[in-house]
Amino acid sequence: MLLEVKGLRKVYRTRFGNRQGDSRVSVEALKNVNFTVEAGEYVAIMGESGSGKTTLLNILAALDKPTSGTVLLEGRDFSKIPEREVAAFRRDNLGFVFQEFNLLDTFTLEDNIYLPLVLAGKPWPQMREKLTPIARTLGIEALLKKYPYEVSGGQKQRAAVARALITSPRIILADEPTGALDSRATDELLKLFAEVNRQGQTLLMVTHSARAASRAGRVLFIRDGEVFHQLYRGDATDALFYQKIVDTLTLLAKGGDRA
C-alpha cells in the first residue's frame, strides 16, 4: 500500500480575549479520517468549504501534523520524520500542483521546473535528462525559455505539472489545479493528468469541480471532518461518473446519510 491514513484527527485551538480573560475554543477540523491509496491510483477529494479538505491536504503534504492518527507513505510514519529532514522528504517524495501555479516570475519556465532538483543538488546533465521527456509529454518544449508572464494560464499550469513530475514523486498532490483556468485549459490539464496517471503516476487531487473529479478513478467525499462516502469509477464513462458525483454532492448539501 502506497499511502495509509489511519484515525486522523486534527483539533485547532484558538484564543479569544474577553473581559474575564482569555478563553480557548477548540475546532475539530478532522475527526476520524481513514483511507488508503494504492500506487498508480487517481483519487479526487471533494467536500464543501470548511469540510476539512485543506487541513487533510496540508497533513498529507507534511505541512501540518495531526492531533492524533497516522499517515504512512510506503510504511513510513510522517510523524516520525525528524524536523530537519521534513523538507527533503517532501521534496523527494511529494509533487505539488497549486491553483495559482506558484511559479517564480524572475525564472524561466525551465528554471522553475528545475528548482526542486537544484535544491536537491542534482547535476545539470541529470536535470536535463529528466526534463526532456516530461517537456515532450506536456507539450512545453518550445516554451522552456519563456518567463511565466509571457505564457497563458494553461501553459503555466503545464510547467507546474512538469515541476511536480521532475523529482519522480511517489504522489502528486494537486490543490484545486483547475481553479484558475478557463474551460479549454481545464480540459487540457485534465487530459494531461489522465496521461501521467496512465504512465503510473499516483495522483491525489482536492477539487470543488465535479467535472475535474469525474476524470479520477475514485472520489472521496469529506463532510464535517470525516469521509462521508466514496465512489469508484469502475467502467463508468466520464459523463456517467460525473452524474454520480453530482448526485452525491446534492446528498451532501442536503445533509443526507451515508450511502
Side-chain angles (χ1 to χ4, degrees):
M1 190 61 62
L2 179 63
L3 180 71
E4 296 178 77
V5 177
K6 301 179 179 180
L8 207 63
R9 184 169 179 261
K10 180 65 179 181
V11 178
Y12 292 103
R13 290 181 172 83
T14 59
R15 187 183 294 274
F16 295 92
N18 55 45
R19 292 182 181 178
Q20 287 74 39
D22 290 332
S23 61
R24 300 181 73 84
V25 176
S26 295
V27 178
E28 192 174 31
L30 298 175
K31 294 179 180 178
N32 182 31
V33 175
N34 298 276
F35 65 91
T36 60
V37 177
E38 295 185 12
E41 272 202 280
Y42 183 178
V43 180
I45 298 176
M46 302 193 76
E48 296 180 336
S49 296
S51 62
K53 300 188 310 298
T54 300
T55 298
L56 176 59
L57 188 69
N58 286 341
I59 292 173
L60 298 179
L63 295 170
D64 197 1
K65 293 188 176 183
T67 303
S68 60
T70 57
V71 177
L72 305 174
L73 182 63
E74 293 184 325
R76 187 174 186 186
D77 189 342
F78 279 24
S79 67
K80 300 295 193 298
I81 301 171
E83 198 65 37
R84 65 182 180 279
E85 297 179 15
V86 169
F89 172 83
R90 192 184 299 124
R91 184 182 63 234
D92 294 341
N93 294 282
L94 306 173
F96 300 93
V97 180
F98 303 95
Q99 178 176 339
E100 298 298 335
F101 320 125
N102 285 19
L103 299 175
L104 300 174
D105 280 336
T106 55
F107 284 18
T108 63
L109 297 186
E110 182 177 43
D111 289 339
N112 269 286
I113 295 166
Y114 281 148
L115 190 56
L117 298 183
V118 171
L119 294 174
K122 301 299 182 183
W124 163 255
Q126 183 179 338
M127 292 194 294
R128 186 66 194 177
E129 183 181 352
K130 287 182 74 69
L131 175 59
T132 299
I134 293 172
R136 187 179 302 121
T137 297
L138 300 184
I140 57 172
E141 291 173 289
L143 303 174
L144 293 176
K145 299 301 181 182
K146 292 184 177 292
Y147 290 86
Y149 55 82
E150 296 179 305
V151 300
S152 69
Q155 291 166 334
K156 289 179 187 178
Q157 197 61 294
R158 285 172 179 253
V161 172
R163 181 184 57 195
L165 287 169
I166 202 163
T167 60
S168 303
R170 302 291 188 274
I171 301 178
I172 286 183
L173 301 174
D175 184 12
E176 298 288 356
T178 64
L181 303 179
D182 60 27
S183 59
R184 179 178 177 180
T186 291
D187 282 339
E188 290 176 352
L189 178 65
L190 294 175
K191 287 177 183 177
L192 287 174
F193 273 7
E195 177 59 29
V196 299
N197 177 244
R198 278 193 292 270
Q199 294 175 9
Q201 178 64 59
T202 308
L203 293 165
L204 191 63
M205 173 178 64
V206 168
T207 181
H208 280 97
S209 169
R211 178 182 172 197
S214 69
R215 306 294 183 89
R218 176 163 56 116
V219 182
L220 294 174
F221 297 89
I222 306 293
R223 184 174 77 177
D224 298 331
E226 298 181 276
V227 176
F228 168 78
H229 184 50
Q230 61 180 327
L231 289 175
Y232 288 86
R233 168 186 288 279
D235 296 327
T237 63
D238 287 350
L240 180 57
F241 199 39
Y242 171 86
Q243 190 57 55
K244 289 182 177 180
I245 292 167
V246 170
D247 291 344
T248 303
L249 290 173
T250 301
L251 184 66
L252 272 169
K254 292 180 177 178
D257 294 331
R258 285 175 174 80

